[in-house]
Amino acid sequence: MDTRMHDAIALREAGQAEEARALLLDLLAANSKDAGADTDAELLYQLAWTHDVLGLEREAVPYYEQSLAIGLPAEQRAGALLGLGSTYRTLGEYGRARTALLQGADEFPERAEFKAFLAMALYNLGEHSEATEMLLRLLADTSESPGIREYRKAISFYADKLDKIWP
């Protein structure tokens, strides 16, 4: 990774996202001028993330999409799918959010954050039962709260039976 990209990431993490964005855009411009160079997926991912941090969600989307199309290592791919899905959701593109987040959940089943964000998208799509079931299962599976742990089986059992009335 280019040292300037490391610098940009450090700037973003230090709360200087606008400076990070300028540096990353300069790197992208330099990369574009180099006729033999392929566009760097990591650079596009960092640009997307930085635009999101700045509240520039619409501008972030094409960077996420391009980075995913080119190909990212697993850790960055997970971040890009989550970022893209979350960004689509905030833009009101709930179906696209569901698609990206489902893809992330399928590719990275060990990463619970996909289910949390997917539940939000399902809620926005009016799929309240599915969203609540997903959140209850996530809570039961991941909580370290003593009370939740004690009732984990019951929470999991009832997660998909919220509308059932017991005789």
Side-chain angles (χ1 to χ4, degrees):
M1 183 184 299
D2 186 295
T3 57
R4 294 173 296 169
M5 192 170 345
H6 279 292
D7 293 344
I9 293 167
L11 285 168
R12 183 184 63 228
E13 291 173 351
Q16 297 174 299
E18 192 56 58
E19 292 85 348
R21 178 177 175 259
L23 183 53
L24 291 168
L25 287 171
D26 287 347
L27 283 170
L28 183 62
N31 187 294
S32 298
K33 288 180 185 173
D34 185 0
D38 289 329
T39 304
D40 183 348
E42 174 71 16
L43 173 58
L44 293 168
Y45 169 55
Q46 294 301 330
L47 268 164
W49 187 349
T50 302
H51 279 83
D52 259 350
V53 168
L54 289 167
L56 302 171
E57 286 84 0
R58 282 205 195 284
E59 292 86 345
V61 168
Y63 293 122
Y64 279 128
E65 292 172 337
Q66 291 171 41
S67 71
L68 288 163
I70 293 169
L72 290 163
E75 186 65 26
Q76 287 83 12
R77 181 168 175 76
L81 283 169
L82 187 70
L84 180 61
S86 175
T87 299
Y88 279 148
R89 194 190 73 75
T90 64
L91 294 172
E93 296 183 33
Y94 306 129
R96 293 177 88 182
R98 175 178 34 196
T99 298
L101 294 165
L102 274 172
Q103 183 177 352
D106 287 345
E107 288 184 33
F108 304 97
E110 72 286 357
R111 300 203 46 173
E113 61 268 29
F114 281 105
K115 291 179 183 174
F117 281 87
L118 179 56
M120 288 185 248
L122 292 173
Y123 171 85
N124 293 126
L125 287 163
E127 298 177 25
H128 303 127
S129 293
E130 294 85 350
T132 304
E133 177 184 345
M134 187 171 287
L135 288 175
L136 286 171
R137 290 190 189 284
L138 184 61
L139 178 68
D141 291 344
T142 63
S143 179
E144 295 303 319
S145 166
I148 298 298
R149 290 176 62 94
E150 181 178 352
Y151 292 100
R152 179 175 285 154
K153 278 184 160 181
I155 293 168
S156 292
F157 176 78
Y158 290 118
D160 64 347
K161 298 169 186 65
L162 295 174
D163 294 317
K164 182 173 175 78
I165 298 173
W166 302 92

